[in-house]
Amino acid sequence: MVTDNPSVMAGAPLLSVEDVSKSFTIHLRGGVRLPVVANVTFEVSPGECLVLGGPSGIGKSSILRMIFGNYAVDTGRILVRDRSTGDVADLASGDPRLVLSLRRDHIGYVSQFLRTIPRVSALDVVAEPLLTRGVERKAASNRAAAMLERLNLPSALFNLPPATFSGGEKQRVNIARGFMIDHPILLLDEPTASLDETNRDVVVGMIREKLAAGTAILGIFHDIPVREAVATSILDVAAFSTREAA
Amino acid sequence: MRNPSLPAYNFAYLDEQTKRMIRRAILKAIAIPGYQVPFASREMPMPYGWGTGGVQVTASILGPDDVLKVIDQGADDTTNAVSIRAFFAKVANVATTTRTADATIIQTRHRIPETPLAHGQIIVYQVPIPEPLRFLEPRETETRVMHALEEYGLVHVKLYEDIAQHGHIATTYAYPVKVEGRYVMDPSPIPKFDNPKMHRSPALQLFGAGREKRIYALPPFTDVVSLDFEDHPFTVQRFEARCALCNAQEVYLDEVITDDRGGRMFVCSDTDYCETRRSKGSQVGGLPQHGAAKADWEAAE
Amino acid sequence: MNSEPILSVRKLEKRYGNFIGCTDVSFDVWPGEVVAIVGESGSGKTTLLNCISTRMERSSGEIRYRMRDQRFPDLAELGEAELRFLMRTDWGFVHQNPADGLRMRVSAGANVGERLMAIGDRNYGDIRSRASDWLERVEIAASRIDDMPVSFSGGMRQRLQIARNLVTHPRLIFMDEPTGGLDVSVQARVLDLLRMLVSDLGLSVIIVTHDLGVARLLSQRMIVMKSGRIVEQGLTDRVMDDPSHPYTQLLVASILEN
Ligand SMILES: Nc1ncnc2c1ncn2[C@@H]1O[C@H](COP(=O)(O)OP(=O)(O)OP(=O)(O)O)[C@@H](O)[C@H]1O
Ligand SMILES: [Mg+2]
Ligand SMILES: [Zn+2]
């Protein structure tokens, strides 16, 4: 980490994306190169909710995944600033251990779909981030249960593995897990896509609480009411698109 | 003195070069107590199960003035003991005895005499399987490394298994010992009752395995400790009965069947010990003569 | 972040005559990290694992291991005694076939207790209670403690092998296709158990598998091998979701179907 002390101040961006570009080379299709985005540049500050907009396939999820270290970056920097020390780390370097430590301490991510693990119950899926951070099992389970209750997941499902859950149930487990830890940066990829109105409102409430607590949120929300309820600004990813046709 | 009417045998059957080779192995074995020294085992005019390893050791150390005793399961009068004694009387023309105290060399299968051995005496054990780790590790290359590196956990695995299956350490013979705090050794299939007799014995103890071509030794006054667990310490068998013939106590007894209606009695397994006691007057009146068929309860070599 | 690797491999090569088992292999393993080595059969995974765990002699290259006393010697510098001690205390090796890692003719309890006895534990009651604890941790009823592994199912044997390895609280575990020989339903249980134990005990693990699902579930980092060489390595989810090498793309494409 590089110390960058002057920026230790309230309101300084926690996430700075600088000139990031991404393309895929599909070797199984004769090495065809699929450009996605280039020169992506933006910042997200504490309490801000920046929403990525643009048509399907334009590269919104890819940007989120690069920031989470799940996709490699062709060029550019993804700077993550430590709120208390002001230290800055470039996640785009791709060092797996740096990415893992940033995921542990700085960046939360709610993906579009829950990846289920065989035999692990919904409650344990949600409690796991607490357990790996040393929270005692009983306390972790209680907090996980409270979170799932808030999201109206029937308690009969708590001890079942989510593999057989409906799309909306799985998504609520996924959200609960992502919201368990107070990461300074939170990435949300259409968290409300498969939710009914009631649960959508619950999630909106949860996002607002995070923002009030100073979390920097970067999200994708196709849902207009949700977007309007939480966005502080909107960025059209089409501006970075390197596609001939979107 | 050699009997001139006999054909020209080498003294004690083996040629001088072979005896020298075996003596070198014995010296090495004495220098590294408990360590199994390989030697080039020779064909002997008897089958392996008859103790060819012990016979070769005895043949190599025997001198014309030695007095030889041979026992099998404590008895001087079994076929095996009688044959080996006769063999040496013939090929080395040495004196033989059944008296433990009179012998200079005692070759044995499965027992250590009750009469404590003295300085200057040599006891030669017939060994069927010299490797104490063989039970759990069949690979010779591996057991050798284990000895070299003192990796003896496996011996305890076997003792653990005993306790787990039987509630106590059920190994009653060939009970593993640690020699001078270093090598784990198989004492040959003597009853564990005899193990304490090996500890700091003033006699020289030699072990010969013919089929497996190994010699090992305990020089006089060597520490020999039977392996065990803190909470399951080594104990010897205890006999409730006394010898029905000589009234001896705290000796190793054999069960003898006296008739075909289930009659039985316990007598000293060490025939010389029993007879010596009786000749000195320790007698229990009105009982059958010793020499009745022995219950062959121990696995034959 | 723990800044010192527990294992460091540099330019490792193993030749079988003219044939290359593996070559130019370099990577580090940090404490508490699970690294998966993936690739199709014949790609050199097991050769690599066996060289690192000193079960096989390397042809060239460096393998350094962080000892408990913080020394970081090349394993070639250690004497046989020290190496073997390491192997039965600080390391574990979980074989694909449990029979290769168990003593099939002694009881489950003795199988688990063996390592304790090897390091000098001489209290039967203590050994037994620790063996029984470990059996329960791997979901084998303590009442089976005196049964022989031959009477166990494949999944139970594999769980017994795991317990046998973990009883000395090793720091580094090598696993070669630990679920390879098991039915799918049994596999899930063993995997789940491994996942929990690894995180509870903070173990470092190098696991060889051709099953990317297993790698995804257990590992943080992935090394992709082809023809004895590393073609790609990185964060497991990155390698699987955004594979860059043609071979990795092929591997990933072939599992995306299900
Ligand atoms: N792992 C991958 N390998 C190859 N191509 C990929 C990969 N991930 C995404 N793409 C491609 O990159 C482009 C951007 O995809 P992305 O998922 O980022 O779009 P999006 O803006 O999130 O779309 P949507 O709104 O439909 O979710 C698409 O053409 C997609 O097919
Ligand atoms: Mg998307
Ligand atoms: Zn008697």
Side-chain angles (χ1 to χ4, degrees):
Chain A
M1 291 226 177
V2 188
T3 310
D4 190 1
N5 273 323
S7 67
V8 185
M9 50 180 170
L14 297 180
L15 176 68
S16 306
V17 177
E18 296 180 356
D19 275 325
V20 163
S21 62
K22 175 69 184 167
S23 64
F24 294 99
T25 304
I26 316 290
H27 294 284
L28 302 178
R29 298 275 173 279
V32 58
R33 197 168 158 277
L34 208 78
V36 181
V37 288
N39 306 316
V40 180
T41 301
F42 61 82
E43 291 182 332
V44 190
S45 297
E48 188 184 352
C49 177
L50 177 64
V51 173
L52 299 179
S56 173
I58 201 75
K60 303 181 295 292
S61 294
S62 299
I63 291 172
L64 247 55
R65 284 165 173 261
M66 285 189 283
I67 295 169
F68 195 57
N70 176 238
Y71 279 5
V73 172
D74 294 351
T75 60
R77 305 202 294 170
I78 296 172
L79 303 179
V80 177
R81 185 169 280 108
D82 187 301
R83 206 159 23 182
S84 46
T85 65
D87 289 351
V88 171
D90 182 7
L91 181 143
S93 69
D95 171 7
R97 302 188 63 239
L98 173 63
V99 173
L100 286 174
S101 99
L102 290 174
R103 284 181 185 180
R104 188 179 57 239
D105 300 329
H106 292 270
I107 309 172
Y109 173 52
V110 178
S111 58
Q112 235 165 324
F113 305 101
L114 173 70
R115 191 178 282 283
T116 60
I117 301 169
R119 294 224 314 166
V120 180
S121 73
L123 197 66
D124 287 347
V125 168
V126 176
E128 196 196 82
L130 292 175
L131 293 173
T132 59
R133 284 167 180 78
V135 177
E136 185 262 325
R137 181 166 287 278
K138 189 90 195 79
S141 285
N142 288 343
R143 281 170 60 185
M147 185 66 92
L148 287 172
E149 268 156 26
R150 182 169 182 192
L151 286 157
N152 301 305
L153 192 79
S155 56
L157 297 182
F158 287 12
N159 291 310
L160 298 179
T164 55
F165 289 9
S166 76
E169 287 163 350
K170 275 187 194 163
Q171 188 56 357
R172 278 178 278 161
V173 172
N174 205 19
I175 293 166
R177 181 181 159 96
F179 276 76
M180 284 307 281
I181 302 296
D182 291 321
H183 286 114
I185 299 168
L186 189 55
L187 312 173
L188 303 173
D189 194 346
E190 301 191 42
T192 55
S194 44
L195 300 188
D196 58 26
E197 227 169 298
T198 315
N199 286 310
R200 217 172 52 195
D201 292 344
V202 173
V203 175
V204 166
M206 286 164 55
I207 293 173
R208 283 186 166 153
E209 283 169 22
K210 289 278 188 199
L211 289 173
T215 305
I217 294 180
L218 179 64
I220 303 168
F221 303 99
H222 278 303
D223 219 340
I224 309 287
V226 175
R227 189 193 297 201
E228 283 175 352
V230 298
T232 51
S233 50
I234 294 177
L235 184 66
D236 189 354
V237 174
F240 309 119
S241 178
T242 45
R243 290 280 167 87
E244 271 93 76
Chain B
M1 271 270 304
R2 217 179 272 191
N3 185 336
S5 68
L6 286 174
Y9 283 113
N10 270 304
F11 177 78
Y13 186 78
L14 293 174
D15 62 84
E16 292 308 312
Q17 208 171 329
T18 298
K19 284 192 277 192
R20 272 200 298 274
M21 175 272 292
I22 294 175
R23 284 180 204 133
R24 274 196 298 273
I26 292 171
L27 285 173
K28 184 169 179 183
I30 292 170
I32 316 169
Y35 172 74
Q36 300 167 47
V37 181
F39 78 109
S41 180
R42 294 287 192 262
E43 290 294 323
M44 295 303 285
M46 58 193 77
Y48 276 124
W50 282 59
T52 56
V55 168
Q56 289 176 80
V57 169
T58 300
S60 304
I61 59 170
L62 205 57
D65 300 330
D66 273 312
V67 179
L68 179 68
K69 170 181 164 80
V70 181
I71 50 170
D72 179 7
Q73 311 253 19
D76 298 87
D77 56 1
T78 61
T79 321
N80 192 314
V82 169
S83 309
I84 293 172
R85 204 162 52 227
F87 172 74
F88 282 114
K90 184 171 181 186
V91 301
N93 198 21
V94 290
T96 62
T97 182
T98 57
R99 289 288 149 115
T100 300
D102 294 346
T104 57
I105 297 174
I106 301 165
Q107 181 170 330
T108 179
R109 172 176 177 268
H110 293 193
R111 277 306 314 275
I112 299 175
E114 304 291 358
T115 308
L117 299 180
H119 188 63
Q121 286 185 306
I122 301 175
I123 180 165
V124 177
Y125 299 79
Q126 299 172 205
V127 180
I129 298 168
E131 180 48 70
L133 304 169
R134 178 76 47 85
F135 172 80
L136 289 166
E137 181 50 71
R139 288 168 300 172
E140 174 80 24
T141 47
E142 183 67 12
T143 52
R144 253 186 248 184
V145 174
M146 292 162 86
H147 281 294
L149 302 179
E150 274 189 88
E151 290 179 4
Y152 290 131
L154 266 192
V155 185
H156 277 88
V157 170
K158 180 175 182 328
L159 299 178
Y160 170 98
E161 220 34 13
D162 257 15
I163 303 171
Q165 309 293 332
H166 306 284
H168 59 95
I169 298 179
T171 299
T172 51
Y173 62 91
Y175 191 106
V177 295
K178 195 158 200 180
V179 177
E180 284 289 302
R182 177 59 182 83
Y183 285 96
V184 165
M185 187 191 92
D186 183 320
S188 87
I190 58 170
K192 67 176 181 175
F193 180 89
D194 285 342
N195 272 21
K197 294 176 183 154
M198 292 185 291
H199 181 55
R200 299 201 178 157
S201 168
L204 170 62
Q205 307 179 68
L206 303 176
F207 299 78
R211 187 173 29 209
E212 304 247 353
K213 305 177 173 57
R214 291 287 184 280
I215 288 172
Y216 48 102
L218 300 171
F221 308 108
T222 299
D223 278 346
V224 179
V225 176
S226 302
L227 297 174
D228 60 6
F229 287 102
E230 293 158 7
D231 48 349
H232 284 264
F234 172 80
T235 51
V236 296
Q237 295 106 313
R238 295 197 62 87
F239 295 90
E240 299 294 318
R242 288 168 173 255
C243 172
L245 301 176
C246 73
N247 207 30
Q249 208 179 358
E250 317 256 305
V251 295
Y252 194 79
L253 299 176
D254 280 339
E255 190 179 348
V256 178
I257 309 294
T258 52
D259 55 43
D260 51 11
R261 296 184 309 278
R264 58 200 193 117
M265 64 178 193
F266 288 94
V267 297
C268 293
S269 125
D270 184 338
T271 52
D272 166 61
Y273 182 77
C274 198
E275 276 155 23
T276 306
R277 275 176 61 84
R278 277 183 287 155
S279 68
K280 285 180 184 162
S282 303
Q283 198 120 359
V284 183
L287 282 161
Q289 275 295 295
H290 186 251
K294 282 191 165 178
D296 198 12
W297 59 275
E298 272 183 325
E301 182 182 315
Chain C
M1 240 202 274
N2 204 323
S3 53
E4 304 263 46
I6 190 169
L7 184 85
S8 189
V9 178
R10 290 292 175 273
K11 297 250 170 242
L12 184 68
E13 178 172 273
K14 172 67 186 179
R15 286 179 172 276
Y16 303 99
N18 280 332
F19 181 80
I20 292 176
C22 64
T23 188
D24 200 20
V25 172
S26 299
F27 67 95
D28 293 323
V29 179
W30 275 269
E33 188 180 41
V34 181
V35 176
I37 301 175
V38 303
E40 65 199 354
S41 70
S43 58
K45 307 185 295 287
T46 299
T47 295
L48 175 58
L49 194 73
N50 286 339
C51 284
I52 300 170
S53 58
T54 70
R55 298 160 52 80
M56 188 185 270
E57 210 168 312
R58 70 189 106 150
S59 304
S60 63
E62 242 179 65
I63 306 164
R64 294 190 174 275
Y65 178 70
R66 178 94 36 207
M67 310 288 277
R68 281 182 200 248
D69 63 9
Q70 294 305 306
R71 278 183 301 143
F72 198 47
D74 192 300
L75 293 173
E77 294 163 20
L78 301 183
E80 192 179 13
E82 201 170 11
L83 211 46
R84 285 171 67 107
F85 185 75
L86 210 58
M87 289 174 96
R88 60 172 196 267
T89 54
D90 229 19
W91 292 0
F93 200 109
V94 177
H95 298 260
Q96 172 169 7
N97 179 2
D100 294 340
L102 292 173
R103 295 196 187 273
M104 298 303 280
R105 294 186 352 262
V106 306
S107 67
N111 264 285
V112 178
E114 179 174 341
R115 276 175 162 235
L116 296 175
M117 294 182 248
I119 58 172
D121 202 328
R122 293 289 176 266
N123 189 293
Y124 174 83
D126 176 56
I127 293 164
R128 195 168 171 81
S129 78
R130 286 168 73 185
S132 142
D133 284 351
W134 270 100
L135 289 180
E136 289 191 333
R137 279 185 89 159
V138 298
E139 301 171 21
I140 294 174
S143 60
R144 304 293 305 265
I145 191 166
D146 294 329
D147 295 348
M148 302 290 151
V150 282
S151 70
F152 287 6
S153 69
M156 281 172 79
R157 288 182 192 181
Q158 197 55 294
R159 283 179 277 129
L160 180 63
Q161 193 190 180
I162 292 165
R164 172 179 159 89
N165 271 284
L166 296 184
V167 67
T168 49
H169 294 282
R171 297 190 301 147
L172 178 61
I173 311 283
F174 302 97
M175 299 185 188
D176 193 355
E177 305 277 6
T179 57
L182 305 174
D183 295 342
V184 183
S185 60
V186 178
Q187 246 188 44
R189 186 167 177 196
V190 171
L191 279 176
D192 184 36
L193 186 77
L194 277 177
R195 207 174 59 84
M196 274 167 40
L197 289 172
V198 162
S199 82
D200 284 359
L201 302 171
L203 298 172
S204 305
V205 179
I206 302 179
I207 176 172
V208 158
T209 177
H210 64 263
D211 186 335
L212 292 188
V214 169
R216 173 156 228 151
L217 198 63
L218 291 179
S219 72
Q220 287 95 46
R221 236 156 25 89
M222 184 180 271
I223 291 173
V224 185
M225 294 201 59
K226 179 177 189 292
S227 313
R229 292 170 186 275
I230 294 182
V231 295
E232 183 163 0
Q233 61 172 314
L235 215 55
T236 297
D237 64 89
R238 205 282 295 152
V239 172
M240 290 191 63
D241 294 340
D242 185 13
S244 67
H245 191 275
Y247 179 69
T248 317
Q249 291 189 356
L250 185 69
L251 279 185
V252 171
S254 52
I255 61 151
L256 278 184
E257 323 304 332
N258 49 49

